[in-house]
């Protein structure tokens, strides 16, 4: 038997209709959406300034006589006859408005009583502290600036529907403090990265490169295709800025970086979004070893300065980016976690194919030993890499833009950084031999002809740039979204993207 309840379901359509009637009445009174209110204080700044309750007693604040003009959204409203208390929220916090009919006037107070949660108001008055110790504004003038036509979610439950949070991020940001904190931290993270890269002794220069490419390049990924009507030609949304940035190094800009939007026509998951943010940088006259040092320093310094600690919690696991990151070759990692594979078998294509099949890895006829090594690594090693680990020395076969090692044929001077089993960064000593690069492009073209949608195109202009001369260079790509996930402890990439990709609503 169902227990009786006094709680009735809210008819949202009815509430919206009531609010529309209120807006209609406002229109009849004059300007319904005024824009002449000028605020002069933020609530969070006021709360921080007067946080010391022993110094800033009610008497001390009253003696100060501090006048403020604040504006924000009504989040809570308590009407007690001729006195009302409102929790008003702006960009960086909340403050209480103390509203007395005798102070604001009977007409204003009567109008205020008809205002709703979610309405945006402007208030002018004097700072005070209530008997309960809460910093407040004793309101002298009060105005309705924006009438909200849609009710906010219930204050006790918030936005329980995760998909609704992503679709209506504007509401999520209003009612979910954690969401506001995450995106404020994201902004600070990116700002710190820029300052860190441009500071001495690094001295990187920020640049911008095209987002529409005639030839997609710089990564192995399926591109999005668009069409330029005036030129009657197809263009590709950028999958990576790499080849353009290295052209700039050819041109003499020895240290360049770009924080950019990339677009890859791939699946959606907790770690993938079709458009995402990357940091890419290139520095002349260094190897991938120095690039690993930069990567490690960047992550450690960002955590320390933005989050306040090098110890982070991510998916229930404590990650410490303070100690030196482990550097482990791909071959050694596979051998350690797969004792049945012998070192002499690593370059034996047939032996690696047999091991890959035994382990349930993907095996195709055109996979060489290098691709099979990667498949086995991804199957047996990647999920174990919890603390920060650089996996180094990737096969040439799966690294078409990386420089081959001088003493270890078939292996490149390349690394990928894994934290909590997720790839965070990818870097290498850049391939600057134009003839070797041309041959690798041709191998990619052949792979594409055999059905590999993610293989690269042949970029003749990039080869021409290499023929002009690319100095010895190290390069790095860092997934900003995943880095923010790490630093904020977010489980899904959608939690760190303001507007993640969503299927259209039915």
């Amino acid at each position: 038997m169902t227990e009786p309840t006094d709680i009735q379901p809210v008819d949202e359509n009815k509430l919206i209709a009531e609010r529309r009637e209120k807006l209609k009445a406002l229109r009849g009174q004059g300007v319904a959406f005024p824009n002449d209110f000028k605020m002069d204080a933020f609530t969070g700044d006021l709360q921080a300034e007067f946080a010391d309750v022993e110094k800033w007693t009610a008497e001390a604040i009253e003696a100060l006589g501090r006048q403020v003009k604040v504006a924000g959204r009504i989040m809570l409203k308590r009407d007690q006859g001729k006195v009302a208390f409102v929790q008003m929220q702006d960009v960086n916090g909340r403050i209480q408005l103390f509203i007395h009919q005798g102070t604001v006037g009977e007409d204003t107070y009567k109008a205020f009583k008809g205002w709703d949660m979610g309405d945006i108001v402007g208030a002018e008055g004097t700072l005070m502290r209530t008997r309960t110790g809460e910093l407040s504004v004793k309101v002298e003038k009060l105005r309705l600036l924006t009438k909200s036509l849609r009710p906010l979610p219930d204050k006790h439950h918030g936005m329980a529907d995760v998909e609704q949070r992503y679709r209506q991020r504007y509401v999520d940001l209003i009612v979910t403090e954690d969401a506001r904190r995450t995106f404020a931290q994201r902004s600070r993270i990116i700002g710190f990265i820029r300052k860190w890269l441009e500071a001495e002794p690094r001295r990187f220069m920020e640049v911008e490169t095209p987002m529409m490419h005639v030839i997609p390049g710089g990564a192995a990924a399926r591109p999005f295709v668009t069409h330029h009507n005036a030129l009657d030609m197809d263009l590709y949304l950028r999958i990576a800025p790499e080849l353009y940035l290295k052209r700039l190094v050819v041109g003499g800009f020895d240290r360049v970086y770009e924080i950019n939007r990339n677009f890859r026509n791939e699946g959606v998951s907790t770690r993938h979004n079709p458009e995402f943010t990357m940091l890419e940088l290139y520095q002349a006259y260094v190897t991938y070893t120095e690039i690993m040092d930069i990567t490690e320093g960047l992550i450690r310094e960002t955590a320390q300065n933005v989050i306040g600690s090098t110890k982070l919690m991510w998916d229930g696991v404590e990650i410490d980016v303070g100690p030196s990151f482990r550097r482990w070759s791909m071959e050694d990692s596979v051998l350690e976690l797969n004792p049945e594979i012998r070192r002499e078998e690593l370059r034996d294509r047939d032996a690696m194919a047999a091991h890959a099949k035994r382990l349930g890895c993907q095996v195709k006829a055109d996979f060489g030993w290098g691709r099979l090594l990667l498949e086995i690594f991804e199957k047996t090693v990647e999920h174990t890499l919890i603390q920060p680990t650089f996996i180094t020395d990737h096969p040439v076969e799966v690294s078409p833009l990386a420089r081959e090692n001088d003493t270890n044929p078939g292996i490149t001077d390349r690394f990928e950084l894994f934290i909590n089993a997720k790839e965070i960064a990818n870097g290498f000593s850049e391939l600057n031999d134009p003839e070797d690069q041309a041959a690798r492009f041709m191998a990619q073209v052949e792979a594409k002809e055999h059905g590999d949608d993610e293989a690269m195109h042949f970029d003749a202009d990039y080869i021409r740039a290499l023929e002009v001369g690319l100095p010895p260079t190290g390069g790095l790509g860092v997934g900003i979204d995943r880095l923010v996930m790490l630093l904020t402890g977010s489980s899904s990439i959608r939690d760190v993207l303001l507007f993640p990709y969503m299927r259209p609503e039915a």
Side-chain angles (χ1 to χ4, degrees):
M1 181 178 175
T2 304
E3 291 293 326
T5 177
D6 293 332
I7 300 175
Q8 299 296 321
V10 176
D11 185 344
E12 189 170 281
N13 291 331
K14 181 181 178 181
L15 294 178
I16 294 173
E18 290 174 352
R19 293 188 180 207
R20 288 191 183 280
E21 285 299 314
K22 292 179 181 179
L23 176 59
K24 183 178 179 181
L26 288 171
R27 293 189 192 280
Q29 296 167 16
V31 179
F33 292 88
N35 68 347
D36 58 340
F37 183 85
K38 308 299 181 186
M39 50 87 69
D40 62 13
F42 292 104
T43 63
D45 295 348
L46 294 173
Q47 296 285 9
E49 183 179 350
F50 295 94
D52 187 343
V53 294
E54 293 186 1
K55 175 184 178 182
W56 293 110
T57 62
E59 293 77 13
I61 294 177
E62 184 179 2
L64 190 66
R66 174 79 170 269
Q67 286 277 321
V68 295
K69 295 179 180 179
V70 293
R73 194 178 295 272
I74 296 175
M75 300 302 294
L76 189 64
K77 182 181 176 186
R78 289 184 291 124
D79 185 357
Q80 299 179 355
K82 296 184 178 182
V83 173
F85 298 89
V86 167
Q87 283 290 325
M88 191 204 73
Q89 177 175 293
D90 67 8
V91 67
N92 72 347
R94 290 187 181 189
I95 200 165
Q96 180 172 265
L97 305 182
F98 175 74
I99 305 168
H100 193 287
Q101 176 179 309
T103 305
V104 299
E106 187 174 342
D107 290 344
T108 298
Y109 194 78
K110 181 180 178 181
F112 156 75
K113 294 182 74 170
W115 299 349
D116 297 297
M117 236 72 74
D119 286 352
I120 297 173
V121 299
E124 181 178 349
T126 309
L127 285 180
M128 60 173 285
R129 196 179 293 284
T130 64
R131 283 177 294 183
T132 59
E134 186 163 359
L135 184 69
S136 305
V137 177
K138 185 177 182 180
V139 179
E140 298 162 8
K141 296 180 181 179
L142 185 66
R143 297 179 65 192
L144 177 62
L145 304 179
T146 300
K147 181 65 194 170
S148 174
L149 297 181
R150 290 182 176 270
L152 296 176
D154 178 87
K155 68 178 186 295
H156 296 297
H157 301 98
M159 296 189 79
D161 186 328
V162 174
E163 182 172 316
Q164 187 185 29
R165 288 183 56 205
Y166 301 146
R167 288 192 185 280
Q168 299 179 29
R169 182 68 83 187
Y170 40 89
V171 178
D172 183 36
L173 292 172
I174 293 170
V175 302
T176 311
E177 185 177 354
D178 285 346
R180 292 196 302 276
R181 184 183 303 112
T182 293
F183 290 109
Q185 285 180 322
R186 179 186 175 111
S187 179
R188 289 194 291 270
I189 288 165
I190 294 174
F192 179 82
I193 288 172
R194 284 191 164 99
K195 292 178 183 177
W196 190 86
L197 289 173
E198 294 174 12
E200 296 286 351
R202 292 165 293 275
R203 297 175 61 185
F204 281 89
M205 179 177 74
E206 185 173 14
V207 296
E208 296 174 302
T209 62
M211 295 180 71
M212 292 194 296
H213 294 182
V214 176
I215 298 173
R222 182 185 298 178
F224 286 98
V225 185
T226 187
H227 189 78
H228 192 297
N229 291 330
L231 298 179
D232 192 23
M233 61 184 293
D234 285 343
L235 292 171
Y236 301 89
L237 296 185
R238 174 171 63 193
I239 57 174
E242 178 170 341
L243 302 187
Y244 282 95
L245 291 172
K246 286 191 282 192
R247 285 174 170 95
L248 297 179
V249 181
V250 170
F253 287 139
D254 286 350
R255 301 184 182 197
V256 294
Y257 80 94
E258 184 172 7
I259 296 177
N260 59 73
R261 301 291 285 178
N262 291 341
F263 306 85
R264 297 183 185 177
N265 202 345
E266 58 187 18
V268 178
S269 73
T270 56
R271 288 188 274 179
H272 298 89
N273 196 66
E275 59 174 304
F276 58 96
T277 304
M278 286 282 291
L279 159 69
E280 288 211 20
L281 65 81
Y282 294 87
Q283 180 175 347
Y285 311 112
V286 298
T287 69
Y288 78 134
T289 300
E290 288 86 0
I291 296 297
M292 279 190 277
D293 294 339
I294 288 174
T295 308
E296 189 169 331
L298 172 66
I299 293 173
R300 181 176 299 120
E301 292 289 326
T302 303
Q304 187 65 65
N305 285 273
V306 179
I307 306 303
S309 174
T310 61
K311 293 184 177 180
L312 310 163
M313 290 298 296
W314 195 11
D315 292 340
V317 178
E318 184 177 283
I319 307 293
D320 193 352
V321 298
S324 296
F325 296 1
R326 183 181 188 182
R327 301 186 182 190
W328 200 13
S329 78
M330 183 177 289
E331 289 184 323
D332 287 346
S333 70
V334 166
L335 290 173
E336 183 169 320
L337 293 181
N338 295 275
E340 65 280 5
I341 300 177
R342 301 191 307 275
R343 186 171 291 277
E344 58 267 25
E345 292 179 309
L346 291 174
R347 309 295 175 91
D348 184 329
R349 195 271 171 195
D350 292 338
M352 292 298 281
H355 285 301
K357 288 179 180 177
R358 174 179 54 81
L359 292 165
C361 301
Q362 179 181 215
V363 178
K364 292 185 178 180
D366 60 340
F367 284 6
W369 66 263
R371 177 62 185 270
L372 293 167
L373 175 66
L374 176 63
E375 293 287 334
I376 293 173
F377 164 80
E378 291 178 344
K379 182 78 171 183
T380 64
V381 180
E382 189 172 312
H383 69 277
T384 72
L385 304 176
I386 305 304
Q387 296 305 317
T389 304
F390 290 113
I391 294 295
T392 65
D393 307 335
H394 295 227
V396 169
E397 184 181 355
V398 293
S399 310
L401 297 168
R403 186 180 188 277
E404 188 170 15
N405 188 274
D406 291 334
T407 60
N408 193 357
I411 294 294
T412 61
D413 294 338
R414 176 188 173 191
F415 69 83
E416 286 184 324
L417 173 62
F418 291 89
I419 302 178
N420 202 20
K422 300 174 181 66
E423 181 193 341
I424 302 295
N426 180 30
F428 38 82
S429 298
E430 301 298 329
L431 176 58
N432 62 343
D433 179 339
E435 294 179 351
D436 188 354
Q437 183 66 80
R440 295 204 209 173
F441 275 159
M442 287 304 300
Q444 289 283 301
V445 170
E446 186 176 345
K448 184 173 286 293
E449 290 174 350
H450 283 84
D452 187 347
D453 293 331
E454 295 187 350
M456 295 183 186
H457 295 245
F458 192 98
D459 191 333
D461 180 71
Y462 179 66
I463 297 300
R464 181 167 56 191
L466 293 185
E467 290 172 346
V468 173
L470 174 69
T473 298
L476 170 68
V478 178
I480 292 293
D481 304 319
R482 291 187 188 176
L483 179 60
V484 174
M485 288 172 64
L486 163 68
L487 295 175
T488 61
S490 302
S491 297
S492 171
I493 195 171
R494 292 183 173 188
D495 292 328
V496 300
L497 299 175
L498 281 167
F499 299 102
Y501 171 78
M502 304 289 291
R503 291 184 183 276
E505 291 184 83

